[in-house]
Amino acid sequence: MTTYVLIHGAASGSWYWHLLEAELRARGHDVVAPDLPCDDDSAGLSEYADAVVEAVGDRTGLVVVAQSLGGFTAPLVCERVPVELLVLLTAMIPSPGETAGDWWAATGWERARRERDERDGRAPDDDIALFLHDVPPALAAEAGRRGRDQSATPFTEPWPLTSWPAVPTRFLLCRDDRFFPAEFTRRVVRERLGIVPDEMDGGHAVALARPRELADRLEAYTRPGTASGPGR
């Protein structure tokens, strides 16, 4: 049995994963999906990792899946508990000493995002169109109601690791992601991890839009001979 450890992104919570969690549990897997202390100004990256490690407890067979800002927390978890595979899902990839606040300029995100918005003819402040465009309307509305305040604290702290953890790593890119455009993400993954990302259809909130397909992809990663990346 695999234990999937699901780490949500900024201003979010464990609810984001509820459809994927149901899919994975129905297939016989265990799932850990903690709420990070994102609305607590006293909590930084270490406290985010603490929340995950505490939720994991003594479970084994861990596959850590991190979405968006969760990419800054997941490698810290991998340094503290035995992880078999790290999957970055539409996630930020930190460099040693970099803050999440500096990541945007360091990667060239703003230009990539602006060019994508202009190409699509989309207003940059339309969060539904940006994050939830492929999520069923009722579910998208519920996601909006369940949004949480996001403290700036984890965006100001330098990422503390000196190198990527020695854990097999995959990156799953969503081709319809409007927040992290696909062409931008392909470049960042290549430059920062030295791997080619895997790809699937879907936007930034793929766990809400395509939970069954996402579960299929995550299960496929646990088959022998599929893990790769900088930790291999």
Side-chain angles (χ1 to χ4, degrees):
M1 178 183 68
T2 298
T3 298
Y4 289 93
V5 182
L6 309 179
I7 303 177
H8 65 76
S12 185
S14 59
W15 179 87
Y16 170 72
W17 300 110
H18 76 284
L19 297 177
L20 176 64
E21 180 176 358
E23 281 285 341
L24 293 172
R25 289 191 181 279
R27 303 175 189 208
H29 304 295
D30 192 11
V31 178
V32 176
D35 283 310
L36 303 183
C38 64
D39 50 3
D40 181 355
D41 286 334
S42 70
L45 294 175
S46 178
E47 287 73 24
Y48 283 36
D50 287 344
V52 178
V53 171
E54 182 178 355
V56 168
D58 59 359
R59 292 175 174 86
T60 58
L62 306 180
V63 172
V64 173
V65 182
Q67 192 253 356
S68 204
L69 178 62
F72 268 73
T73 299
L76 308 185
V77 174
C78 292
E79 290 285 279
R80 294 175 54 182
V81 295
V83 173
E84 296 183 359
L85 177 67
L86 170 58
V87 180
L88 298 172
L89 174 68
T90 67
M92 300 167 75
I93 305 169
S95 289
E98 181 179 66
T99 70
D102 291 337
W103 181 90
W104 314 95
T107 58
W109 170 84
E110 184 174 1
R111 177 178 178 179
R113 162 78 191 286
R114 182 176 63 252
E115 290 176 349
R116 176 65 188 263
D117 285 345
E118 291 173 352
R119 188 163 64 247
D120 293 347
R122 182 176 56 258
D125 57 352
D126 186 344
D127 284 349
I128 294 293
L130 180 62
F131 294 106
L132 300 165
H133 58 95
D134 59 342
V135 176
L139 196 58
E142 180 68 12
R145 289 191 292 270
R146 288 180 175 269
R148 300 167 64 198
D149 292 336
Q150 174 62 56
S151 169
T153 300
F155 288 89
T156 64
E157 295 183 346
W159 193 62
L161 300 186
T162 58
S163 62
W164 200 257
V167 173
T169 302
R170 301 295 290 255
F171 194 104
L172 183 53
L173 174 157
C174 292
R175 285 184 286 263
D176 307 310
D177 191 342
R178 296 174 175 176
F179 189 58
F180 293 157
E183 59 274 18
F184 159 80
T185 301
R186 292 185 189 107
R187 174 180 58 79
V188 173
V189 173
R190 181 180 68 250
E191 293 174 352
R192 296 201 166 199
L193 293 179
I195 63 175
V196 176
D198 302 308
E199 301 190 13
M200 65 178 288
D201 292 335
H204 199 67
V206 67
L208 294 175
R210 297 172 177 268
R212 182 173 298 176
E213 183 179 348
L214 179 55
D216 289 342
R217 298 299 293 265
L218 294 178
E219 277 199 314
Y221 284 146
T222 65
R223 296 171 188 153
T226 60
S228 67
R232 187 172 182 176

